[in-house]
Amino acid sequence: SKIAFVTAISSKGKNEIAILDIKTGKVLFEIQGKGAHARPIFSLNGEWLAFVTNDFPNKEKVKNDALGIGPSRVYLINLKTHAQKCLAKTYNETPALIGWAKDNSFVVVGDNVGTVSQLYKLPLSGQDPIPLLPTTSQLIGFADIDPKNSLLVYSAESLIKPTEIYMVSLNGKNPQQLSHLQEVTQLDKIQTRIIKWKSKDGKEIEGILVLPE
């Protein structure tokens, strides 16, 4: 058995992922680079290791964000050949890696889309992300895949609805609300408006304007 772990990010914004053999206690190999790596997850067949990194080919030269990370991608490394693969970019280029599909054909990630969030299937083929949810009207918090790797459970909230627990199939069909812990009706009276503007680099920024009653 093996485990993958991430070393602490240095003052230069770099770290590495190491794969450790549990029986021998020896590090089998390390994934190094010029940037920061995070959230290593093995595929179910043990063939691949997926992780998030800001060190990827053809990266635009942009200023890092407040965490010193900047745009990121999901990266794969084949544990037998050490071949590497960079998957398609997500909307906000800040993917949160959640887990693997049962057939190892895609990984599941979350990312922000303006002021809300979306969950995606990110194919190993390199195709564009495939949304798992029909709408993006909520801000998603915690998300995890069930032990059978067929269902995704997540917490979500909106401007007029407190946090609740939801479930969606990895086929992307019929999201269901599982909990009803915070039924509040007054919030639907709040008036909000989405506003958009261009940043200095030409990208669109989205914000929320809350109107007085």
Side-chain angles (χ1 to χ4, degrees):
S1 299
K2 306 176 183 66
I3 58 172
F5 62 93
V6 180
T7 62
I9 297 178
S10 70
S11 59
K12 296 182 179 180
K14 297 181 181 181
N15 69 350
E16 59 189 34
I17 294 175
I19 297 180
L20 179 76
D21 187 303
I22 295 177
K23 292 182 178 180
T24 64
K26 295 181 178 180
V27 174
L28 301 179
F29 68 92
E30 298 173 332
I31 302 169
Q32 300 177 336
K34 299 179 180 179
H37 311 313
R39 188 62 175 161
I41 303 179
F42 291 106
S43 62
L44 300 185
N45 60 9
E47 183 177 351
W48 295 93
L49 180 73
F51 58 97
V52 177
T53 181
N54 67 352
D55 179 22
F56 55 89
N58 304 317
K59 179 180 177 180
E60 296 180 27
K61 292 184 178 180
V62 297
K63 187 177 180 180
N64 287 345
D65 58 19
L67 297 177
I69 296 176
S72 300
R73 296 282 191 280
V74 174
Y75 226 76
L76 303 177
I77 184 166
N78 187 291
L79 298 177
K80 294 181 179 179
T81 66
H82 295 183
Q84 299 183 20
K85 180 185 296 187
C86 182
L87 300 187
K89 73 175 182 179
T90 53
Y91 184 90
N92 201 50
E93 298 186 87
T94 53
L97 184 59
I98 298 170
W100 284 81
K102 191 173 184 179
D103 63 358
N104 303 288
S105 64
F106 62 87
V107 295
V108 178
V109 300
D111 200 3
N112 293 330
V113 182
T115 57
V116 294
S117 308
Q118 177 61 277
L119 297 168
Y120 298 98
K121 295 191 291 186
L122 199 54
L124 267 65
S125 62
Q127 293 175 299
D128 289 339
I130 302 168
L132 277 169
L133 305 178
T135 61
T136 56
S137 61
Q138 296 175 309
L139 187 64
I140 296 169
F142 172 83
D144 202 1
I145 299 175
D146 79 316
K148 295 183 179 180
N149 289 74
S150 59
L151 297 172
L152 180 64
V153 177
Y154 61 97
S155 64
E157 61 180 286
S158 71
L159 287 173
I160 60 173
K161 194 168 185 178
T163 303
E164 297 286 358
I165 304 300
Y166 298 82
M167 177 180 69
V168 66
S169 165
L170 290 188
N171 293 325
K173 297 179 180 179
N174 304 321
Q176 301 176 37
Q177 182 174 338
L178 299 181
S179 68
H180 297 81
L181 302 175
Q182 306 187 73
E183 295 295 340
V184 180
T185 57
Q186 302 95 306
L187 294 179
D188 58 9
K189 298 179 181 179
I190 297 176
Q191 296 184 30
T192 61
R193 184 181 301 163
I194 301 297
I195 56 174
K196 300 179 180 182
W197 66 95
K198 294 287 185 180
S199 67
K200 293 181 179 180
D201 61 3
K203 293 185 178 180
E204 187 174 75
I205 299 177
E206 191 172 287
I208 301 171
L209 176 65
V210 180
L211 303 176
E213 294 186 11

